[in-house]
Amino acid sequence: MAAPIGILGGTFDPIHYGHLRLAQEVADKLRLAEVRFMPSGTPPHRSSPGAPAEDRLAMVQLGVTGNSLFTVDPHETLRSGPGYTVDTLTAMRAELGPAQSLVLLLGADAFLELATWSRWHQLFTLAHVAVAYRPGFPVDTWQSRMPQPLAAEYNARLMRQPLGVHTASAGGIVVVPIAALDISATLIRDAMRAGSNPRYLLPDQIIKYIQEHSLYNGN
Ligand code: ATP
């Protein structure tokens, strides 16, 4: 079976080292062939003055440059209307066939929200889910924070052997501990609006892009 392909969706408003380390560490630990970054379109529930979809996409492209494991899929970014992950995965599955293992990468905070996603049970028929721990979600308490339907899926699908994502093409949940980087896009936007220097939270070339395009300086 071909090595699994990872998918990392997000707003990436902007992409930062938390995202890049998540992708790198999960790719290493699960021996993924590739991680596809999928910036969302303009989500209807986000009203904060973030960057336009085209700029978020351009920043993700800059962020992955130089890493041969990382690619960018602009599918969701450029379409109008809400893009649901389940539809994106269905299209990928149709393109790649039933044998290709797919792994949806999620931070633990995003995983806890999974039961609010459109047709979320169906996600497991299309891909595995890899949950990466990030700061604030200690391993011993997070299970108690899962809503019941999610806990049921978690208990039924948890694979103790993470490399199990190589032997089935979808349906498992794996938990991958990653280095805790307490960085969020919100922190970066707030820092930039307050005029403080965001260096070392995200790549320099993205800071340059933000400055050249006058992003995140509104109130
Ligand atoms: P915001 O602060 O705007 O909510 P964010 O920094 O959390 O944004 P998203 O684009 O919402 O970034 O996140 C995309 C994915 O990356 C999610 O699965 C999220 O859990 C994960 N992620 C974001 N920041 C980190 C981090 N510092 N460490 C590990 N995972 C992260």
Side-chain angles (χ1 to χ4, degrees), residues 55-78:
D55 288 314
R56 292 186 289 103
L57 176 62
M59 291 189 283
V60 172
Q61 268 152 352
L62 284 173
V64 306
T65 301
N67 188 327
S68 57
L69 272 182
F70 292 175
T71 58
V72 184
D73 185 332
H75 204 85
E76 287 192 2
T77 330
L78 302 176

Side-chain angles (χ1 to χ4, degrees), residues 52-212:
E54 295 73 17
D55 288 314
R56 292 186 289 103
L57 176 62
M59 291 189 283
V60 172
Q61 268 152 352
L62 284 173
V64 306
T65 301
N67 188 327
S68 57
L69 272 182
F70 292 175
T71 58
V72 184
D73 185 332
H75 204 85
E76 287 192 2
T77 330
L78 302 176
R79 82 186 197 185
S80 54
Y84 293 117
T85 303
V86 66
D87 296 323
T88 305
L89 290 178
T90 302
M92 276 183 82
R93 184 50 81 203
E95 183 196 325
L96 298 168
Q100 173 65 55
S101 175
L102 299 176
V103 184
L104 184 64
L105 275 47
L106 295 174
D109 60 327
F111 180 74
L112 288 176
E113 298 288 315
L114 196 67
T116 66
W117 292 21
S118 179
R119 288 161 282 150
W120 67 280
H121 288 287
Q122 215 180 311
L123 295 171
F124 297 107
T125 67
L126 297 163
H128 300 289
V129 172
V131 187
Y133 281 107
R134 61 183 291 195
F137 294 87
V139 73
D140 48 346
T141 60
W142 87 303
Q143 250 178 291
S144 64
R145 299 165 71 167
M146 285 179 209
Q148 206 285 322
L150 184 61
E153 290 284 14
Y154 178 82
N155 290 325
R157 298 182 177 281
L158 184 67
M159 294 197 291
R160 303 269 168 211
Q161 173 46 262
L163 292 179
V165 298
H166 285 252
T167 50
S169 61
I173 296 177
V174 291
V175 175
V176 184
I178 60 168
L181 291 180
D182 197 1
I183 301 172
S184 69
T186 305
L187 173 79
I188 292 167
R189 293 193 302 271
D190 289 349
M192 298 201 80
R193 286 196 193 106
S196 61
N197 193 331
R199 261 194 108 179
Y200 313 121
L201 296 173
L202 70 172
D204 284 345
Q205 66 271 29
I206 298 175
I207 298 178
K208 190 162 171 265
Y209 183 98
I210 291 170
Q211 288 164 342
E212 282 172 0

